[in-house]
C-alpha cells in the first residue's frame, strides 16, 4: 500500500495490546522508579478490565466486541454528530425540517431586528419553484383593508369569533410543551391580539392563566371533555365553552405528522399535573385512539360536529390532514346534502410537526399541504359550498410569503406551530419527545425550563407576529390587491410541470 | 395500546430491587464509606503510622494528602445514590493501589482492610451495574 491510510482494525488491535502492555509497564515503573506510577497502573488495569468486558462478555454491540474501547470513540462521535453537523458542517439551506435560512428569519423578527438580506437568494430560484407574482401597479399602503375573518357568520350564530390578524398559533398541547412555553405563547398571543389553539392536552389550565383568546382542541381521546368511556361529556364541554376565553372549538380528526393515528405523548413527559389534567396514568405512553368513537362514517361525523356546535354554542371547526381528496370530497358532498357544515376546516400538510410520532407516519403519510389545500378549495368550489365555511392551512408556513402562497391556493387564515416555537427560541435540536429539550420548550424538566423567561419570550412572540404581519401587508400591496380575500391562483407563478398546475389531485 | 410503537431512548430505569438487595447495598455502601473516611482522615491528619507508610513509598507528604483526600471523596460519593457508582469506581481504584502497595513494598499487615473495601465497592458496582458509565447500557435489563 503506497497511500497513507488509517486502518481502524489494526489501530484497534494495537490499542488493545497497548492497554495491557501499559498496565504491565506502569506496574514495573511503579515498582522500580516511583510508586507514583501506580496511579497509571490502576488506571490501565481498570481499562483492561472494561476492555475485556467489551470484547468477551457483552454481546450487544458488535463494534465494541470487535474493537474494544477504541470502538467507544465511534459511539461518542456519533452521538455528537447532530450537533457537529448543525454547528459546523451543514450549509445554511441544508438542514431539515427547517433550514437555517428559514429559522434565522423568525429569530430576527422575534428579536425585532429588521435586517435585509444581501446579494441574492440562497434558495433555488429555478423555473421549477412556485413563486409569487407582483403587479406593475402595487396598491398603495393606505388602500389596504384591515384583515377580518369571522367564524360562525355563515350559520348566523350569536357567538361569532373574528380574527383581526391572518395568523393563529396552531395546536400544541400542554404535555408536548411545558408550562412556561405555553404561558409565553399565551401571553404573546394576548399581547399581539391573535388567537391560540390549546392542542389536545386536556383542560387548558395554563392557557387560561394568561387570558388570551383560545380555540379549544378536542382530540380523539377528548382529554378535558371525555366521560368514563372516552366519549364526549357534554356537561364538561358546556362548562368549558362558557368560559369567556374559549372562542372556538376544534374537533381534531388527524394531524399531518401522524394522520390515521392518534396523538402520542411519551411517558418521559408525563408529570403528575399532566396525568391529572388528562386523566391518564403516569409511567406509560399515552396513545390516543386513531378516531373519534362517535365518528365512523360521514353521517355520524357530521352528526357529531353538529352536536358539538349545539352543545358549545361556539364556532366549531375540524382539523385534518388529507389522505384522499376523493374521500374528503364525499364528506363535503354529504355536508352539502345534509346542510351541516363545520365553521372551518383546517388542513394540516403531511409535513406538519409533532412532539412525538412514529417515523413511518412522520415521513410517509398524508398529502403535502399545497396540493391538499388547492384540492380542498377546488372541491368546495365545485360543490358550490366554498362560502359555507372557512379554510385554514398549516404546514411549515413560517413567514409572510408562505402565508400568501397558501392563501392564493385557498386558505382564509394561517395556522403555525413550529414558527412560534422558533420565536420562543427553539433551536431545532429535535428532542421534543424525550423531555430533554435544551431550550426548555418541549420539556417538563425544571432545570431546563429555567432558561425560558415567560415575559421575555412573550415579547418575542409579539415581535414575530408584528414583523410577519407587517411583511404580509407589504406583500399584498406588491401583489396589487387590497385585502387577503382577493388573493387567488393567478397571483402565483406555478411552473407548468408542477402538480398544482393541473387538476390538484 | 399493547405495543410501544415508538421506543424512545430509555433512561436508566430503576429496576425494582427487593428489600434484601437494598439492605445489602446499603450495608456495602456504609461499610465502605466508614472505612474509607476513617483511612482518609487518618492520612489527612498526619497519623504517625500513615506517615511511616508513605515514607516507605517515598510519597510523603503529597501522596498522603492526595490519597487521603481521594478516599474521603470516594466515601462521600458512594453514599449519595446518584453518585454511588462513581464513588465505588474511585474506591476500587484506590484500593487496587493500596493492594499493590502492600504486596510490593509495605508488607501484608493491613491488607485486609483494602481487600474488604475493594470487595464492598464491587458489591455496590454489581448491584448498581446498570447505572455504571460505559457499561450499564450494555447489560440486560
Ligand atoms: C410540539 C408540537 C405539538 C403539537 N401538538 C399538536 C396537538 O396537540 N394537536 C394537533 O392537532 N396538532 C399538534 N401539532 C401539530 C401542529 O399543530 C401543526 O398542525 C403542525 O405542526 C404543522 O404546522 P407547522 O409546520 O407550523 O409546525 C403539534 C406540533 C408540534 C410541533
Amino acid at each position: 500500500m503506497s497511500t497513507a491510510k488509517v486502518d481502524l482494525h489494526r489501530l484497534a488491535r494495537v490499542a488493545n495490546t497497548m492497554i495491557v502492555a501499559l498496565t504491565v509497564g506502569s506496574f514495573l515503573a511503579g515498582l522500580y522508579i516511583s510508586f507514583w506510577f501506580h496511579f497509571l497502573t490502576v488506571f490501565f488495569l481498570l481499562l483492561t478490565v472494561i476492555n475485556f468486558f467489551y470484547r468477551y462478555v457483552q454481546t450487544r454491540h458488535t463494534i465494541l466486541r470487535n474493537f474494544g474501547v477504541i470502538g467507544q470513540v465511534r459511539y461518542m462521535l456519533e452521538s455528537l454528530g447532530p450537533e457537529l453537523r448543525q454547528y459546523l458542517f451543514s450549509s445554511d439551506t441544508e438542514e431539515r425540517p427547517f433550514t437555517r435560512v428559514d429559522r434565522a428569519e423568525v429569530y430576527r423578527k422575534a428579536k425585532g431586528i429588521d435586517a435585509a438580506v444581501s446579494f441574492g437568494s440562497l434558495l433555488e430560484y429555478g423555473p421549477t419553484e412556485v413563486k409569487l407574482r407582483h403587479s406593475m401597479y402595487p396598491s398603495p399602503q393606505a388602500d389596504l383593508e384591515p384583515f377580518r375573518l369571522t367564524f360562525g357568520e355563515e350559520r348566523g350564530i350569536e357567538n361569532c369569533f373574528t380574527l383581526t390578524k391572518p395568523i393563529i398559533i396552531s395546536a400544541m398541547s400542554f404535555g408536548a410543551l411545558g408550562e412556561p412555553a405555553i404561558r409565553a405563547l399565551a401571553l404573546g398571543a394576548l399581547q399581539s391580539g391573535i388567537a391560540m389553539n390549546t392542542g389536545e392536552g386536556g383542560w387548558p389550565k395554563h392557557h387560561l392563566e394568561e387570558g388570551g383568546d383560545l380555540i379549544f382542541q378536542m382530540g380523539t381521546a377528548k382529554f378535558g371533555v371525555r366521560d368514563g368511556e372516552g366519549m364526549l361529556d357534554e356537561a364538561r364541554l358546556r362548562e368549558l365553552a362558557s368560559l369567556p376565553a374559549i372562542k372556538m372549538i376544534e374537533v381534531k380528526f388527524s394531524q399531518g405528522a401522524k394522520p390515521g393515528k392518534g396523538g402520542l405523548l411519551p411517558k418521559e413527559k408525563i408529570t403528575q399535573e399532566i396525568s391529572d389534567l388528562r386523566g391518564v396514568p403516569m409511567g406509560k405512553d399515552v396513545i390516543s385512539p386513531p378516531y373519534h368513537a362517535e365518528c365512523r362514517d360521514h353521517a355520524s361525523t357530521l352528526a357529531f360536529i353538529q352536536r358539538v356546535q349545539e352543545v358549545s354554542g361556539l364556532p366549531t371547526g375540524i382539523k385534518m390532514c388529507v389522505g384522499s381528496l376523493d374521500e374528503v370530497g364525499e364528506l363535503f358532498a354529504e355536508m352539502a346534502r345534509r346542510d351541516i357544515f363545520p365553521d372551518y376546516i383546517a388542513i394540516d400538510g403531511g409535513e406538519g410537526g409533532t412532539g412525538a410520532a412514529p417515523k413511518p407516519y412522520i415521513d410517509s403519510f398524508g398529502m403535502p399541504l399545497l396540493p391538499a389545500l388547492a384540492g380542498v378549495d377546488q372541491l368546495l368550489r365545485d360543490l358550490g359550498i366554498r362560502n359555507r365555511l372557512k379554510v385554514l392551512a398549516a404546514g411549515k408556513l413560517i413567514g409572510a410569503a408562505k402565508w400568501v402562497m397558501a392563501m392564493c391556493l385557498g386558505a382564509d387564515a394561517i395556522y403555525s406551530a413550529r414558527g412560534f416555537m422558533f420565536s420562543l427560541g427553539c433551536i431545532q435540536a429535535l428532542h421534543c419527545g424525550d423531555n430533554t429539550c435544551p431550550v426548555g420548550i418541549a420539556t417538563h424538566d425544571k432545570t431546563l425550563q429555567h432558561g425560558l423567561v415567560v415575559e421575555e419570550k412573550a415579547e418575542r412572540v409579539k415581535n414575530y407576529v408584528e414583523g410577519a404581519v407587517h411583511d404580509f401587508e407589504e406583500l399584498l400591496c406588491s401583489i396589487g390587491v387590497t385585502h387577503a380575500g382577493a388573493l387567488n391562483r393567478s397571483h402565483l407563478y406555478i411552473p407548468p410541470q408542477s402538480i398544482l398546475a393541473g387538476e390538484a389531485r | 395500546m399493547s405495543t410501544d410503537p415508538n421506543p424512545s431512548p430509555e433512561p436508566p430505569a430503576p429496576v425494582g430491587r427487593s428489600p434484601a438487595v437494598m439492605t445489602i447495598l446499603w450495608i456495602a455502601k456504609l461499610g465502605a464509606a466508614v472505612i474509607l473516611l476513617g483511612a482518609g482522615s487518618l492520612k489527612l491528619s498526619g497519623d504517625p503510622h500513615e506517615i511511616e507508610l508513605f515514607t516507605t513509598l517515598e510519597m510523603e507528604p503529597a501522596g498522603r494528602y492526595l490519597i487521603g483526600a481521594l478516599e474521603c471523596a470516594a466515601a462521600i460519593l458512594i453514599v449519595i445514590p446518584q453518585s454511588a457508582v462513581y464513588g465505588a469506581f474511585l474506591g476500587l481504584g484506590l484500593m487496587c493501589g493500596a493492594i499493590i502497595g502492600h504486596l510490593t513494598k509495605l508488607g501484608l499487615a493491613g491488607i485486609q482492610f483494602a481487600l474488604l473495601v475493594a470487595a464492598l465497592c464491587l458489591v455496590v458496582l454489581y448491584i448498581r451495574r446498570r447505572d455504571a458509565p460505559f457499561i450499564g447500557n450494555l447489560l440486560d435489563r
Side-chain angles (χ1 to χ4, degrees):
Chain A
M1 254 306 138
S2 58
T3 48
K5 187 175 156 201
V6 184
D7 182 340
L8 285 177
H9 194 176
R10 234 175 73 231
L11 188 71
R13 267 209 312 271
V14 171
N16 291 333
T17 320
M18 285 298 282
I19 294 170
V20 180
L22 284 167
T23 312
V24 176
S26 322
F27 180 78
L28 293 175
L31 198 57
Y32 295 112
I33 304 173
S34 157
F35 199 83
W36 285 104
F37 278 101
H38 284 313
F39 275 98
L40 290 179
T41 314
V42 171
F43 174 79
F44 286 117
L45 187 66
L46 293 179
L47 202 60
T48 308
V49 174
I50 292 179
N51 203 28
F52 182 84
F53 171 79
Y54 281 170
R55 302 197 55 204
Y56 303 107
V57 183
Q58 66 88 23
T59 52
R60 258 198 204 171
H61 283 302
T62 314
I63 296 276
L64 295 183
R65 238 174 129 69
N66 285 347
F67 301 101
V69 284
I70 285 276
Q72 275 289 7
V73 176
R74 179 188 176 280
Y75 289 107
M76 284 181 199
L77 286 180
E78 190 181 38
S79 72
L80 282 176
E83 282 82 358
L84 289 180
R85 280 193 294 279
Q86 182 169 15
Y87 293 131
L88 298 177
F89 302 116
S90 286
S91 82
D92 287 345
T93 56
E94 208 173 64
E95 286 172 70
R96 292 286 185 278
F98 292 88
T99 68
R100 199 173 304 158
V101 174
D102 292 335
R103 288 186 288 127
E105 176 65 7
V106 181
Y107 299 151
R108 274 197 300 266
K109 290 256 171 344
K111 291 179 184 162
I113 312 168
D114 198 18
V117 181
S118 303
F119 203 65
S121 174
L122 293 172
L123 307 180
E124 284 297 320
Y125 211 101
T128 57
E129 307 275 300
V130 176
K131 300 290 177 195
L132 297 173
R133 293 186 196 276
H134 62 283
S135 163
M136 285 173 68
Y137 308 103
S139 11
Q141 193 96 31
D143 289 359
L144 267 191
E145 295 165 27
F147 184 89
R148 283 183 74 78
L149 191 69
T150 303
F151 293 88
E153 61 184 0
E154 297 87 349
R155 287 192 294 131
I157 57 173
E158 205 175 307
N159 299 315
C160 287
F161 175 57
T162 301
L163 294 184
T164 55
K165 301 229 163 72
I167 179 80
I168 309 172
I169 303 180
S170 191
M172 288 179 281
S173 61
F174 172 57
L177 304 192
E179 178 193 332
I182 292 286
R183 288 188 34 221
L185 286 174
L187 184 60
L190 174 70
Q191 290 175 353
S192 50
I194 64 172
M196 173 177 187
N197 190 307
T198 62
E200 54 187 298
W203 196 264
K205 177 175 161 211
H206 296 299
H207 301 78
L208 288 166
E209 277 162 17
E210 308 300 330
D213 292 341
L214 297 178
I215 301 167
F216 175 77
Q217 187 181 63
M218 186 194 301
T220 49
K222 304 192 180 60
F223 294 126
V225 292
R226 65 190 264 141
D227 66 10
E229 271 81 60
M231 314 289 263
L232 177 62
D233 181 338
E234 294 194 357
R236 284 285 276 177
L237 178 61
R238 209 170 282 123
E239 181 189 351
L240 189 102
S242 69
L243 299 175
I246 307 288
K247 302 295 186 198
M248 298 205 282
I249 308 290
E250 178 173 286
V251 181
K252 171 190 167 181
F253 286 94
S254 60
Q255 165 184 353
K258 39 191 165 184
K261 182 137 185 79
L264 166 64
L265 188 65
K267 56 181 176 302
E268 286 77 9
K269 293 179 71 176
I270 300 178
T271 62
Q272 187 62 52
E273 186 179 28
I274 290 168
S275 115
D276 293 345
L277 285 176
R278 298 198 185 197
V280 296
M282 290 175 70
K284 219 172 132 209
D285 289 357
V286 174
I287 304 172
S288 300
Y291 53 82
H292 288 271
E294 291 89 344
C295 307
R296 293 311 293 141
D297 52 24
H298 297 325
S300 54
T301 299
L302 292 180
F304 183 67
I305 293 170
Q306 192 173 38
R307 184 168 154 219
V308 175
Q309 284 175 331
E310 278 164 9
V311 172
S312 68
L314 296 176
T316 300
I318 60 177
K319 168 172 180 170
M320 63 165 71
C321 172
V322 177
S324 146
L325 283 169
D326 293 335
E327 194 180 35
V328 175
E330 284 167 20
L331 177 68
F332 291 164
E334 191 68 20
M335 286 180 189
R337 219 149 50 80
R338 294 177 183 250
D339 198 31
I340 301 174
F341 294 91
D343 295 285
Y344 69 85
I345 175 170
I347 305 296
D348 199 18
E351 64 270 43
T354 176
K359 186 165 162 46
Y361 287 86
I362 285 206
D363 287 343
S364 311
F365 263 111
M367 276 183 81
L369 175 64
L370 295 186
L373 184 62
V376 163
D377 184 60
Q378 193 60 50
L379 285 171
L380 292 172
R381 282 177 201 288
D382 291 349
L383 288 164
I385 54 172
R386 182 63 186 83
N387 58 352
R388 298 299 301 269
L389 75 175
K390 306 287 190 285
V391 176
L392 306 186
K396 299 180 80 170
L397 302 176
I398 63 174
K402 291 279 167 56
W403 303 356
V404 172
M405 281 182 194
M407 287 183 161
C408 289
L409 291 173
D412 294 311
I414 304 298
Y415 256 147
S416 173
R418 286 169 293 178
F420 283 98
M421 289 175 74
F422 291 135
S423 75
L424 290 179
C426 166
I427 56 170
Q428 193 168 282
L430 310 182
H431 280 291
C432 318
D434 55 16
N435 208 26
T436 61
C437 170
V439 287
I441 296 174
T443 177
H444 305 290
D445 184 330
K446 290 272 179 277
T447 55
L448 292 169
Q449 290 177 346
H450 172 77
L452 198 165
V453 179
V454 172
E455 290 71 24
E456 178 73 25
K457 298 301 183 212
E459 175 90 27
R460 300 268 174 97
V461 171
K462 174 166 166 260
N463 289 342
Y464 171 53
V465 172
E466 284 173 358
V469 169
H470 170 79
D471 281 5
F472 177 74
E473 290 170 350
E474 286 202 317
L475 299 192
L476 291 187
C477 293
S478 302
I479 289 170
V481 297
T482 57
H483 63 102
L487 292 171
N488 59 50
R489 268 166 176 257
S490 72
H491 298 117
L492 290 182
Y493 162 73
I494 299 178
Q497 69 271 44
S498 165
I499 176 87
L500 296 172
E503 207 192 352
R505 265 175 206 248
Chain B
M1 277 285 199
S2 55
T3 50
D4 182 353
N6 183 33
S8 43
E10 301 219 3
V15 246
R17 298 191 193 96
S18 70
V21 175
M22 285 307 281
T23 317
I24 296 174
L25 175 66
W26 275 98
I27 292 175
K29 283 164 84 160
L30 291 176
V34 166
I35 303 176
L36 280 167
L37 203 61
S41 45
L42 281 181
K43 292 185 182 69
L44 292 179
S45 64
D47 175 76
H49 179 60
E50 295 286 351
I51 296 187
E52 194 188 311
L53 291 179
F54 277 85
T55 312
T56 316
L57 298 176
E58 296 175 39
M59 291 173 89
E60 249 308 292
R64 177 165 53 83
Y65 287 127
L66 181 61
I67 303 274
L70 288 175
E71 283 178 339
C72 291
I76 296 167
L77 289 177
I78 204 169
V79 285
I80 303 171
Q82 287 87 338
S83 62
V85 284
Y86 299 92
F89 247 126
L90 182 56
L92 184 65
L94 289 166
M95 291 309 110
C96 287
I99 292 166
I100 293 173
H102 282 290
L103 290 178
T104 60
K105 306 243 155 129
L106 303 173
L108 293 183
I111 196 175
Q112 64 274 24
F113 288 109
L115 286 171
L116 176 60
V117 175
L120 294 174
C121 288
L122 280 174
V123 170
V124 175
L125 274 177
Y126 181 73
I127 297 178
R128 297 280 312 267
R129 62 192 177 279
R130 289 187 185 87
D131 303 338
F134 300 114
I135 295 179
N137 60 340
L138 300 172
L139 297 167
D140 291 324
R141 297 203 176 274

